[in-house]
Amino acid sequence: MDINLPTRTKIITLHQYTNKSKKEISRIAGVSERSVYGIIKKWRASGNLETNRKERCGRKVKAGPEVMQMLIRESEANPRSTSSELRNYLESLGIQVNSRTVRGYLLKAGRRARRPIKKQLLTEKMKEKRLAWAEIYKEWTKEDWRRVLFSDESHFLVQGQHSQYVRRSKNEEIREEHMNQFVKHQEKRMFWGSFSYNGVGSLHPIKGIMNADQYMQVINNKIQTDMEEAFPNSEGIFQQDLAPCHRAKKVTKLFAEKRIRVLDWPGNSPDLNPIENLWAIVKLEAQKKDCTTMDKMTQAIIDIWFSEPKMKQHCAKLVDSMPERVNEVIQKRGGHIKY
């Protein structure tokens, strides 16, 4: 560290005119004992208290702002590049740094390493279909989407309570509450559910995988009732994705017989369906509950679906996000959206 002239003068004065040891002088002057030795040694050799240092001491920065900008630009252009690959990139430009230095620069710039976001695969043909669909519905307002009953199926796993952190004192006895318990061979169950702007509709546990015959039972026993309750004026529209069981001819015929209008929907577009976000909320809440058996898990999902206080609020917010989703699909030319 740089030691200013008044402090160096104080050290030499204490050395000359007192019997203080170098350790005591170090404490009084507030500098290291090694610095005291160095200042006294230099004074004895030259009688000069001035420092010949022309630059600041301390570890030198290996790269200036220009190199930082180059590193950030390369990281933005190739976000999958590792710190070693970015180091090699800088070395190809004649700049010698190690991987740790690269990571430090990136952290300083706010480019923290994160897990890749999982999204559905979209081919160019899929993007074209999504864009064409969005162009049709871009004029729909929130009020239009509030006339839609959204639906989907989702799997839930039999598992223990999960949390990212628990609080425990150093010598506290470890209890079950301190553990995330895992089932070796996890069972799972599919649930079909629906919701609209006004709140959740039915929730139907499914044994095995949904097929056309099971789906027809859902139409007869759940969907028709949900549509009548959500839209007593018969102006509601039913939404479903393009799963094979939803597109079976006998299923389409049954919808026609029930006079249930089905919304056009693009394939491979879970990011457009707000019920996917609702399932995510339910799964997050389920991690806080005991789901270690099939019965316990099923009961927990039912309780969350029908009794969670904020479910109605979530439903309204998600439905009202539809115009923004449609507009974002158009902006991304059919590509992935943030939802």
Side-chain angles (χ1 to χ4, degrees):
M1 61 181 285
D2 284 324
I3 299 175
N4 57 36
L5 182 59
T7 302
R8 292 198 299 274
T9 304
K10 182 178 181 179
I11 290 170
I12 296 302
T13 303
L14 288 169
H15 172 67
Q16 280 186 294
Y17 300 105
T18 71
N19 294 322
K20 302 289 185 184
S21 67
K22 294 179 177 63
K23 185 175 182 179
E24 291 176 311
I25 294 174
S26 167
R27 179 181 56 78
I28 294 169
V31 300
S32 69
E33 194 172 345
R34 183 178 178 181
S35 296
V36 171
Y37 273 98
I39 291 169
I40 293 173
K41 182 178 178 181
K42 182 179 178 182
W43 173 76
R44 284 174 175 171
S46 65
N48 185 8
L49 289 176
E50 293 291 338
T51 178
N52 294 325
R53 191 186 303 277
K54 295 181 179 179
E55 298 178 354
R56 294 182 64 186
C57 61
R59 191 170 183 176
K60 304 300 183 294
V61 178
K62 291 189 175 182
E66 298 81 5
V67 175
M68 283 280 287
Q69 290 177 5
M70 293 165 57
L71 179 64
I72 293 169
R73 282 198 298 268
E74 178 66 15
S75 174
E76 289 175 343
N78 300 285
R80 292 182 183 272
S81 295
T82 64
S83 56
S84 296
E85 291 169 338
L86 291 170
R87 176 203 63 198
N88 293 338
Y89 162 74
L90 291 178
E91 286 184 353
S92 71
L93 301 176
I95 303 167
Q96 299 293 323
V97 293
N98 59 38
S99 299
R100 184 175 180 179
T101 301
V102 169
R103 289 194 293 273
Y105 287 163
L106 293 174
L107 285 173
K108 187 176 181 180
R111 292 193 62 77
R112 185 178 297 276
R114 306 174 190 275
R115 294 184 183 276
I117 298 170
K118 293 182 179 180
K119 287 285 188 178
Q120 74 277 17
L121 175 66
L122 290 178
T123 64
E124 289 304 315
K125 189 174 182 178
M126 292 173 183
K127 291 179 182 179
E128 290 174 5
K129 290 182 178 180
R130 283 162 56 92
L131 180 58
W133 177 87
E135 290 288 353
I136 294 172
Y137 291 95
K138 66 181 179 181
E139 301 298 332
W140 273 34
T141 64
K142 291 180 180 180
E143 286 68 27
D144 293 320
W145 289 108
R146 290 174 183 179
R147 295 187 294 112
V148 177
L149 182 73
F150 295 90
S151 73
D152 192 25
E153 298 87 16
S154 187
H155 281 105
F156 288 81
L157 297 174
V158 173
Q159 59 188 1
Q161 290 178 275
H162 284 205
S163 58
Q164 193 169 10
Y165 299 100
V166 295
R167 295 194 182 277
R168 179 170 60 87
S169 301
K170 183 176 181 180
N171 298 318
E172 185 178 349
E173 181 182 355
I174 297 177
R175 310 190 308 274
E176 288 191 1
E177 290 81 358
H178 297 131
M179 307 174 188
N180 278 345
Q181 300 188 60
F182 299 89
V183 179
K184 187 174 182 180
H185 302 290
Q186 288 182 297
E187 295 181 273
K188 62 182 179 181
R189 167 166 281 175
M190 178 181 282
F191 288 79
W192 175 90
S194 70
F195 86 102
S196 67
Y197 176 82
N198 296 316
V200 296
S202 297
L203 181 71
H204 180 63
I206 301 165
K207 291 185 178 180
I209 302 298
M210 178 83 85
N211 56 37
D213 291 331
Q214 287 179 307
Y215 195 51
M216 290 175 72
Q217 294 178 12
V218 172
I219 295 172
N220 287 320
N221 301 327
K222 304 293 182 181
I223 295 176
Q224 185 175 22
T225 303
D226 287 352
M227 290 293 290
E228 291 172 353
E229 290 184 357
F231 313 108
N233 56 7
S234 301
E235 293 183 357
I237 306 169
F238 180 70
Q239 180 275 338
Q240 61 179 3
D241 62 22
L242 301 185
C245 63
H246 299 167
R247 293 180 291 161
K249 290 183 179 179
K250 54 186 176 182
V251 169
T252 302
K253 181 180 178 182
L254 183 58
F255 273 123
E257 292 173 356
K258 299 288 185 181
R259 295 184 178 180
I260 297 174
R261 179 184 169 188
V262 179
L263 182 71
D264 293 331
W265 199 254
N268 209 36
S269 299
D271 53 347
L272 279 172
N273 193 348
I275 200 171
E276 295 286 353
N277 304 100
L278 195 64
W279 286 131
I281 292 170
V282 174
K283 289 178 179 179
L284 191 63
E285 290 297 320
Q287 292 183 3
K288 305 173 186 177
K289 298 183 178 293
D290 182 0
C291 297
T292 50
T293 68
M294 183 64 75
D295 285 344
K296 288 181 178 180
M297 184 270 287
T298 302
Q299 184 61 53
I301 302 306
I302 292 172
D303 287 344
I304 296 167
W305 188 261
F306 292 107
S307 302
E308 169 60 34
K310 292 186 178 180
M311 285 297 279
K312 187 172 182 179
Q313 179 182 339
H314 291 316
C315 291
K317 184 176 180 180
L318 289 171
V319 170
D320 280 351
S321 71
M322 284 304 299
E324 185 178 346
R325 295 178 194 239
V326 174
N327 289 333
E328 192 171 342
V329 171
I330 295 173
Q331 292 172 8
K332 298 294 180 64
R333 306 302 298 169
H336 295 108
I337 61 176
K338 64 183 179 182
Y339 292 92

